[in-house]
């Protein structure tokens, strides 16, 4: 697959998605609790997805504050 030229925004999303999402207005709580990663579609369309993962370290520690904040975020 030939990769399409990246825009400045897409470059920034791949470098530091949490920072970009924070700058465009995603609540700080979301970017603190979730780890985002930019991925490019393989169908050749100009599409970038931002799946997220929970913070595995804090989950493994059963961090009560993290779990409480996460619960509020996902309500």
């Amino acid at each position: 697959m030939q990769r399409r030229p990246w825009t400045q925004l897409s470059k920034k999303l791949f470098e530091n998605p949490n920072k970009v999402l924070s700058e465009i207005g995603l609540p700080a709580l979301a970017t603190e609790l979730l780890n985002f990663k930019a991925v490019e579609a393989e169908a050749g369309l100009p599409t970038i997805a931002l799946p997220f993962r929970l913070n595995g370290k804090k989950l493994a520690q059963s961090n009560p504050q993290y779990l409480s904040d996460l619960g509020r975020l996902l309500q």
Side-chain angles (χ1 to χ4, degrees):
M1 175 182 97
Q2 185 176 8
R3 181 171 274 178
R4 295 177 58 90
W6 287 359
T7 64
Q8 276 298 97
L9 177 59
S10 61
K11 285 181 185 177
K12 289 180 181 180
L13 281 170
F14 277 89
E15 291 169 2
N16 191 342
N18 281 32
K19 180 179 178 190
V20 174
L21 293 171
S22 179
E23 289 172 353
I24 61 174
L26 191 67
L29 183 61
T31 57
E32 290 170 14
L33 299 177
L34 305 171
N35 297 321
F36 292 89
K37 178 182 178 183
V39 294
E40 191 172 13
E42 293 186 23
L45 301 173
T47 305
I48 296 174
L50 291 164
F52 65 88
R53 291 181 184 246
L54 301 177
N55 186 316
K57 182 178 179 182
K58 289 184 179 179
L59 280 175
Q61 295 172 344
S62 297
N63 181 306
Q65 183 65 47
Y66 175 76
L67 297 174
S68 175
D69 290 345
L70 184 60
R72 281 198 319 265
L73 178 69
L74 300 176
Q75 285 183 357

